[in-house]
Amino acid sequence: MRGSFPLRYALLTLVLAMFTYLYGLDSRFAPKNGDEYPYMHIVRMTADVGNWLPLQSQMEGIKNTKPPLIFWQGIVSTHWANEWSLFNLRWPSVLYTGLTAFFLFLAVRRFSGKTQTGFLAALVWLSFFATYRYGRPFLTDPPEVFWLSLPFLALLYWGKSAFESKLLYPVLAGLCFGLALFAKSFAYLVPASLALGLHYWHWRNWSIPQTLIRDLYKLVLVGTLALGVFALWFALDPQPEAIWREFVLGENAGKFAARSSNYFMDLVRGGDSIWMLLLTTLVNAGLFTFVLVATLMQCWRERRFLSAQEVLLVLWATAFLLVFSLPSQRSGRYLLPIMPAFAALIALHWERLSLWGFWIALVLQGIVLAALLWLGMNLQHSQFMGDTGSWTYHPAHWLLMAIALVTVLIGLIKKNQCKILALIGCFFTYCALTSSLAPLEGQLGRFTAQTISQVQGKDVWIPCDYRAKDEEYRLLLPGAQLHGYLAKDAADLGGLTKTYPLVAVHAPLGIAPVICDACQIVGQRMEMRARHSDEEIKAMLHGNIGEHLFVTEYLIATPVSNAELLNTKDVCR
């Protein structure tokens, strides 16, 4: 049958998905969000003090930016920052993501009666780019999504037993929601409670009196327990007034302030409009965006014939969408907790979905893979690497690229395998993305052990283009005392060497910097640039990759004194 998903394919795809999420987990170039480095900074500073609370930070205005659960997680996984690495910080996130996929599998398998459908739901959710991007790094999203999803998956799994439970389920749901609030924000209690209330209302056949009489106290109990768990932060922290000022008023209440003109104009136009929220929510599916669109269109056409479980999934998503359309700061990231519901809907409609969404997914995968192949071939044959070394791939990289491209081509040609191969192609594409930047994770993109030894305990100034960027450099120069300057000045060799005693500067590949007689190059490595001009982008499209996409970073010692510099503002803070 077209679009069927045999169990053997499901198991093989599961193995591929597990490999994808673990491959390059410690990479500095893994898809992530800029929040990861500020969170690392708070973990490191808090661990240095040796107390769980209060949270510590040297960044202005960023200390109680999130509840302590994520930071405690980082303290435990790195053994109080004594085993500091991206892998140790990130593996709990992958564990949370894996557990979410596992419970999604159990719930969908239970109510659908099909093991393959359960596997599909879990794998489709893992194939979403937002899951890959936010479900691996050291961020609040993995625990938030897990704890918020668990009560709804339990309702889908146990059905009547959970709905009719007078105490056990409400208590467990309250504790789960509480841990989600303790990981991200108390604001998530509103959409979670609304979704749960809609579930109860639907279970009572849309009878308001029956819902109020039989289920209202459950919602009150759930909300009370959840807020009680969150309130532990105030009870345990010796500075509760700082939490109120920085987190409650600053981090949460501030999201209702008008972003540009006024609240209602922001609602319908601009980057924070309701339309942008809808678009970014769909784009959370990444390469499967149009598959999700096709699924929602089919759900609308079949709205009168949806099963009870499908209605619950739709209510889950609708409640969160309604609530997060209210703040003036709107983002599809806030709706990551509903992506498991979307994945379940795709799995339930899998065999009846038309192929056009999967064809678009395969075409997008082909474009990404072709771009990575072209980029890799240009870099491997580039003559602009200079003294930093050569850009060389392991033969396994080319094998991976070949398998991925063949998978996409077969999917486009064979209709009966299109859907399965589109799903598999997502994971191959993510692996190819990681593999394409693998040379920078080796000696090419790192300072030598001799360089690291030379800067131990010394003050080093590094380019900083966002908060806590120095946390990345601590992985490259462990033991150095790092300070930041504006990243836009990184190519100003003359100005930097006259200002800082030990500074990291950027120069085009293959062009040695001209330094003063008293200056000394301590070390060098290759780095990927983040921002480019229109002219540079056009040049790269014509094949001039080495000159513009990458730079050589030189660590230069100068005769400048740092006595006064240490009192100046650190740009990374």
Side-chain angles (χ1 to χ4, degrees):
M1 181 183 296
R2 190 181 78 176
S4 61
F5 196 60
L7 188 57
R8 64 180 183 278
Y9 286 155
L11 293 174
L12 289 174
T13 309
L14 177 61
V15 172
L16 175 60
M18 293 171 63
F19 173 79
T20 301
Y21 272 73
L22 292 173
Y23 177 45
L25 187 60
D26 59 345
S27 172
R28 293 185 298 117
F29 304 100
K32 57 181 179 292
N33 179 271
D35 291 340
E36 183 176 41
Y37 289 128
Y39 293 170
M40 290 172 60
H41 173 78
I42 295 174
V43 169
R44 185 176 57 81
M45 295 299 297
T46 305
D48 285 347
V49 173
N51 295 319
W52 297 99
L53 289 172
L55 300 175
Q56 303 293 324
S57 172
Q58 294 177 340
M59 295 179 290
E60 295 181 5
I62 300 183
K63 183 169 68 172
N64 294 302
T65 183
K66 287 293 182 289
L69 185 61
I70 182 67
F71 307 115
W72 292 351
Q73 171 189 306
I75 289 173
V76 172
S77 67
T78 61
H79 296 86
W80 289 88
N82 289 316
E83 298 180 14
W84 193 253
S85 69
L86 286 176
F87 181 86
N88 285 338
L89 285 164
R90 289 173 175 174
W91 71 256
S93 295
V94 176
L95 178 60
Y96 270 121
T97 300
L99 288 173
T100 304
F102 176 68
F103 285 111
L104 179 61
F105 158 76
L106 290 180
V108 175
R109 184 186 67 167
R110 177 69 176 266
F111 73 74
S112 70
K114 298 179 180 179
T115 300
Q116 290 92 331
T117 304
F119 270 118
L120 258 179
L123 291 170
V124 167
W125 181 66
L126 291 173
S127 75
F128 291 161
F129 183 69
T131 308
Y132 181 72
R133 178 185 178 186
Y134 296 109
R136 300 170 73 230
F138 179 60
L139 297 170
T140 58
D141 304 284
E144 164 213 344
V145 171
F146 174 74
W147 292 116
L148 284 175
S149 300
L150 201 56
F152 299 109
L153 296 178
L155 282 177
L156 294 169
Y157 185 89
W158 278 302
K160 181 180 179 180
S161 298
F163 278 111
E164 297 296 344
S165 173
K166 296 181 179 180
L167 187 62
L168 180 60
Y169 174 78
V171 169
L172 293 178
L175 293 176
C176 287
F177 286 161
L179 288 169
L181 308 189
F182 209 50
K184 187 68 174 275
S185 170
F186 64 89
Y188 274 92
L189 181 60
V190 178
S193 298
L194 176 60
L196 192 57
L198 291 174
H199 280 51
Y200 278 122
W201 189 22
H202 174 266
W203 178 253
R204 303 301 176 191
N205 295 315
W206 305 111
S207 171
I208 295 178
Q210 285 294 312
T211 306
L212 292 176
I213 293 171
R214 306 179 67 174
D215 301 313
L216 179 59
Y217 81 90
K218 300 176 185 177
L219 293 174
V220 173
L221 178 59
V222 168
T224 303
L225 283 173
L227 288 176
V229 173
F230 177 77
L232 290 175
W233 187 13
F234 287 86
L236 298 174
D237 198 299
Q239 301 173 358
E241 69 284 352
I243 300 173
W244 178 263
R245 182 179 62 255
E246 298 170 16
F247 182 73
V248 177
L249 298 181
E251 181 74 12
N252 288 272
K255 289 183 169 59
F256 283 89
R259 304 281 283 179
S260 56
S261 54
N262 63 67
Y263 176 85
F264 293 103
M265 293 302 293
D266 290 344
L267 180 65
V268 297
R269 71 179 187 185
D272 291 301
S273 67
I274 183 66
W275 319 116
M276 188 59 67
L277 176 65
L278 293 172
L279 177 61
T280 53
T281 301
L282 293 174
V283 173
N284 279 338
L287 297 167
F288 259 35
T289 295
F290 291 95
V291 176
L292 175 57
V293 171
T295 302
L296 296 177
M297 291 171 60
Q298 185 163 310
C299 286
W300 175 253
R301 290 193 299 266
E302 300 175 358
R303 59 191 179 277
R304 296 182 180 179
F305 310 102
L306 294 178
S307 67
Q309 290 82 8
E310 289 173 304
V311 172
L312 294 179
L313 291 169
V314 172
L315 292 175
W316 176 2
T318 302
F320 275 75
L321 181 60
L322 286 174
V323 171
F324 282 108
S325 66
L326 297 178
S328 56
Q329 184 177 333
R330 302 174 184 91
S331 169
R333 185 181 176 186
Y334 299 150
L335 294 172
L336 290 178
I338 69 173
M339 297 312 293
F342 284 151
L345 287 172
I346 291 174
L348 293 169
H349 289 258
W350 184 264
E351 294 188 3
R352 304 195 306 278
L353 289 174
S354 58
L355 295 179
W356 65 270
F358 296 93
W359 277 332
I360 294 177
L362 287 165
V363 170
L364 292 174
Q365 292 165 20
I367 292 173
V368 173
L369 291 170
L372 292 175
L373 182 64
W374 173 77
L375 176 65
M377 293 177 67
N378 272 275
L379 288 171
Q380 183 136 315
H381 295 91
S382 176
Q383 302 299 316
F384 295 92
M385 298 300 161
D387 297 332
T388 56
S390 61
W391 187 285
T392 305
Y393 286 113
H394 190 278
H397 168 76
W398 301 113
L399 178 62
L400 170 64
M401 298 298 295
I403 294 174
L405 286 168
V406 169
T407 299
V408 170
L409 290 174
I410 294 176
L412 289 170
I413 295 171
K414 294 192 174 183
K415 292 184 178 181
N416 63 329
Q417 297 183 21
C418 172
K419 296 180 179 180
I420 299 174
L421 294 181
L423 179 59
I424 294 173
C426 290
F427 298 112
F428 274 133
T429 302
Y430 301 152
C431 287
L433 179 63
T434 301
S435 181
S436 294
L437 293 174
L440 281 181
E441 296 296 341
Q443 294 182 353
L444 189 64
R446 296 184 178 275
F447 293 110
T448 64
Q450 181 181 359
T451 299
I452 295 173
S453 177
Q454 284 183 262
V455 300
Q456 288 292 299
K458 295 183 179 179
D459 295 294
V460 181
W461 276 259
I462 50 97
C464 193
D465 51 4
Y466 52 83
R467 303 291 286 273
K469 171 74 172 183
D470 57 307
E471 295 300 332
E472 178 179 355
Y473 275 84
R474 291 182 192 281
L475 303 169
L476 299 169
L477 293 170
Q481 302 298 315
L482 300 174
H483 314 275
Y485 67 84
L486 291 174
K488 65 181 183 65
D489 299 327
D492 182 12
L493 180 62
L496 293 172
T497 54
K498 292 177 182 178
T499 306
Y500 303 109
L502 189 55
V503 61
V505 303
H506 290 171
L509 292 179
I511 300 178
V514 179
I515 60 177
C516 64
D517 294 337
C519 297
Q520 177 187 2
I521 296 178
V522 179
Q524 64 186 63
R525 68 184 186 94
M526 185 176 174
E527 179 64 309
M528 185 168 65
R529 290 181 57 194
R531 294 181 174 88
H532 305 88
S533 65
D534 293 339
E535 292 73 17
E536 290 171 337
I537 293 174
K538 291 178 182 178
M540 286 190 289
L541 292 175
H542 285 88
N544 299 317
I545 304 296
E547 302 98 309
H548 303 294
L549 185 57
F550 300 96
V551 294
T552 301
E553 183 171 81
Y554 290 92
L555 200 57
I556 300 177
T558 74
V560 176
S561 171
N562 66 353
E564 297 182 1
L565 289 171
L566 296 178
N567 296 321
T568 60
K569 182 179 178 181
D570 190 331
V571 174
C572 291
R573 297 290 175 259

